[in-house]
Amino acid sequence: MYNIAIIGTGYVGLVTGACFAELGNRVICVDNDSEKIKKLKSFIMPIYEPGLEELIKRNVNKHRLCFTTSIKKAIKESLVIFIAVGTPPKEDGDADLTAIENVSKTIALNMDTYKLIVGKSTVPVETGKWIEHTIKINIKKTLSFDVASNPEFLREGTAINDFLNPDRVVIGVSSKKSKDLLLDLYKPIKSPKIVTDIRSAELIKHASNSFLAIKVSYINAISKICELSGADVLKVAQGMGLDKRIGRTFLDAGLGFGGFCLPKDLDAFIKISEKLGYNFELLKSVRRINDDQVLSFIKKIKSSVWNIKSKRIGMLGLSFKPNTDDLRFAPSLKIIEKLREEGAKIKVFDPQSMQKAKGILKDVCFAKDSYDAAKGCDCLLIITEWNEFKELDFVKLKKIMRYPLIIDGRNLYDKDKLTKLGFTYLGIGR
Ligand code: UDX
């Protein structure tokens, strides 16, 4: 059992804190947003993540997990301190690391015994070195500490399972003491553990996320070739994916990758490489291909409904992927912006993110369910592959739509089946 502090209750911090508590540790989660902490104390979740509320309730009730705004208290009471604060993108794509610097300084000024400070946020290579430097210049001379890097690979929507059953645990350390401590902390997790130096651990996270982005953009580029040549990208992905060296995952063509990690980390990695003296052209193309997916989707809509002005467009899905209410860098937002510019009337439905969307989207109607979104529309767009959209009653749908046109940005439906039912159906790359 370890006393752990988690600084920052974003996606990564909250899930990490709850899961370490579930493994039997005593965890204090800290955030400087007092409203958020107040809500968490009343079990009101800032994000929708399956299973998280129950996990937090269980561990708070067992006195293994608590929330506070007092970073000083959390530092004093913990041996291991995870930094999980945000590293938002700056204008130029570079990661803003001021929160990490501030937290490092606060740790140095408030620690009174040995602490292990672990970087959990996705950060550029060499951040560990800067954390160490910041602590060194602010700490009382007699105290010792270690810095480590332990990047998190959890995905939104499956975050708890990803934390408890990861493909690997990456531990970047510079001393035996910190290595032994982290290996012991992760002992209950039966996944392969890789111990590296701190810089390599930091790089593993960026290299992994960017590789996933490459896979998605690659299949999206292939989807273009499929459309131009008359092939079917689903078949191509199946055929490619059976090669064990390639694998089928992350070969779903669609509207491109969104969310807060892949786009942001890709931009940051391009920037980091530039600073280190390498022009990462490959990743720049990956970014361009991704941006183009939304633009070509808009073109597809235009070529199917002719003038967009005053057309009624139904949209199913807003979140950047299913099982999350996260709208950050969601393709839906760009699509709505473009369609609104052209004067479309939009009605949307999403199972989880409507509340968040109401706060940021103007000039769109919010439907009460999928059928309400489709009613009277000239075209129905599939934006997010939520399970409940997979099982729609298409006979009913056809009756209530003004014109039976479905443009499927996630290749959710069987083209032949829908065509037989009288729909005009357009997918991606097929
Ligand atoms: C990702 C990484 O998977 C995770 O390891 C890291 O810690 C955070 O970033 P997440 O952003 O939650 O996780 O989503 P993920 O499931 O990886 O999907 C990323 C994006 O790629 C989504 O927009 C998704 O729709 C898109 N995607 C994914 C595709 O378009 N096609 C695919 O085949 C797979």
Side-chain angles (χ1 to χ4, degrees):
M1 197 281 287
Y2 287 98
N3 286 328
I4 298 172
I6 313 273
I7 320 282
T9 56
Y11 234 105
V12 170
L14 209 50
V15 173
T16 304
C19 288
F20 272 134
E22 181 73 4
L23 295 177
N25 301 287
R26 196 174 156 268
V27 180
I28 308 180
C29 285
V30 194
D31 206 293
N32 54 12
D33 181 342
S34 53
E35 201 47 42
K36 199 174 185 184
I37 292 295
K38 202 167 128 195
K39 284 187 176 161
L40 279 165
K41 283 182 173 172
S42 318
F43 303 124
I44 300 170
M45 298 297 117
I47 46 168
Y48 168 73
E49 179 62 35
L52 186 61
E53 191 177 330
E54 297 75 28
L55 193 71
I56 287 181
K57 267 187 192 154
R58 184 164 62 244
N59 284 286
V60 168
N61 291 337
K62 290 198 170 166
H63 307 291
R64 292 192 298 236
L65 179 65
C66 66
F67 299 99
T68 180
T69 49
S70 170
I71 185 166
K72 289 181 187 171
K73 173 181 143 72
I75 293 165
K76 290 225 153 57
E77 292 180 15
S78 308
L79 170 65
V80 188
I81 303 170
F82 284 92
I83 304 181
V85 293
T87 52
K90 293 194 274 195
E91 275 291 291
D92 61 356
D94 211 358
D96 182 349
L97 303 175
T98 44
I100 299 217
E101 183 175 354
N102 291 339
V103 168
S104 308
K105 195 171 169 191
T106 311
I107 293 171
L109 294 175
N110 290 283
M111 59 188 268
D112 46 11
T113 51
Y114 170 87
K115 306 283 173 192
L116 169 58
I117 298 108
V118 189
K120 239 327 173 196
S121 318
T122 301
V123 293
V125 62
E126 292 189 342
T127 302
K129 186 190 87 180
W130 281 107
I131 295 176
E132 193 175 338
H133 171 78
T134 310
I135 296 178
K136 237 179 214 157
I137 58 174
N138 287 289
I139 198 178
K140 267 189 237 142
K141 294 276 175 296
T142 47
L143 294 172
S144 70
F145 70 96
D146 275 309
V147 171
S149 166
N150 169 223
E152 186 48 64
F153 299 95
L154 56 82
R155 291 162 297 175
E156 296 184 18
T158 52
I160 295 165
N161 187 51
D162 286 347
F163 186 93
L164 295 170
N165 303 294
D167 285 348
R168 78 299 208 189
V169 173
V170 175
I171 291 173
V173 283
S174 58
S175 78
K176 180 164 183 325
K177 186 171 180 176
S178 52
K179 173 184 164 185
D180 293 347
L181 240 164
L182 281 172
L183 283 176
D184 198 43
L185 180 62
Y186 275 104
K187 209 171 177 180
I189 290 179
K190 301 292 171 223
S191 308
K193 287 158 196 124
I194 162 167
V195 179
T196 69
D197 57 283
I198 296 177
R199 287 164 200 239
S200 301
E202 289 168 338
L203 208 58
I204 286 170
K205 173 73 190 208
H206 271 296
S208 302
N209 268 3
S210 296
F211 190 77
L212 294 173
I214 291 174
K215 268 190 108 174
V216 174
S217 278
Y218 186 78
I219 199 67
N220 281 332
I222 296 293
S223 80
K224 290 278 192 309
I225 307 295
C226 288
E227 285 180 12
L228 293 168
S229 66
D232 181 344
V233 77
L234 288 178
K235 294 273 180 284
V236 177
Q238 191 187 7
M240 284 173 65
L242 284 170
D243 184 328
K244 289 194 184 68
R245 294 167 303 173
I246 300 174
R248 176 62 184 80
T249 54
F250 272 75
L251 286 183
D252 290 322
L255 296 168
F257 52 82
F260 204 51
C261 281
L262 257 48
K264 167 177 85 78
D265 291 356
L266 187 70
D267 285 349
F269 201 28
I270 291 170
K271 261 281 160 312
I272 295 161
S273 311
E274 212 169 276
K275 277 189 193 165
L276 291 169
Y278 180 67
N279 179 10
F280 217 144
E281 274 298 342
L282 174 65
L283 295 187
K284 289 182 183 170
S285 303
V286 165
R287 194 66 165 112
R288 277 196 295 273
I289 292 168
N290 199 55
D291 292 341
D292 188 54
Q293 282 312 100
V294 164
L295 301 180
S296 53
F297 191 65
I298 301 286
K299 268 192 208 146
K300 204 170 264 177
I301 301 169
K302 277 190 191 167
S303 65
S304 316
V305 303
W306 195 19
N307 298 302
I308 285 184
K309 191 161 183 233
S310 299
K311 290 275 162 40
R312 296 168 81 100
I313 298 192
M315 273 179 65
L316 297 186
L318 285 167
S319 55
F320 82 96
K321 66 171 192 176
N323 298 319
T324 176
D325 62 348
D326 201 342
L327 291 168
R328 291 175 296 177
F329 296 98
S332 63
L333 302 184
K334 262 260 135 47
I335 292 167
I336 289 174
E337 186 192 312
K338 297 268 175 218
L339 292 177
R340 284 296 307 145
E341 274 169 19
E342 304 257 353
K345 292 179 182 159
I346 304 169
K347 199 164 188 185
V348 296
F349 175 70
D350 185 282
Q352 284 296 338
S353 62
M354 302 278 269
Q355 210 49 42
K356 277 192 180 162
K358 281 176 187 166
I360 50 175
L361 289 175
K362 287 181 207 84
D363 296 334
V364 298
C365 284
F366 291 93
K368 64 177 192 297
D369 57 28
S370 304
Y371 300 101
D372 188 27
K375 204 168 156 192
C377 72
D378 297 284
C379 165
L380 184 66
L381 308 179
I382 311 299
I383 306 297
T384 317
E385 64 277 33
W386 284 93
N387 266 340
E388 68 174 81
F389 300 155
K390 291 179 188 162
E391 286 134 22
L392 294 176
D393 177 345
F394 291 105
V395 176
K396 178 174 168 184
L397 209 60
K398 183 159 179 276
K399 275 191 198 136
I400 59 175
M401 287 173 70
R402 183 144 75 184
Y403 181 72
L405 166 66
I406 293 181
I407 307 184
D408 182 355
R410 299 291 176 179
N411 286 338
L412 216 54
Y413 303 129
D414 181 336
K415 188 178 179 176
D416 291 342
K417 184 181 150 192
L418 286 197
T419 312
K420 270 189 200 124
L421 284 169
F423 284 92
T424 302
Y425 176 84
L426 293 171
I428 304 283
R430 50 208 286 241

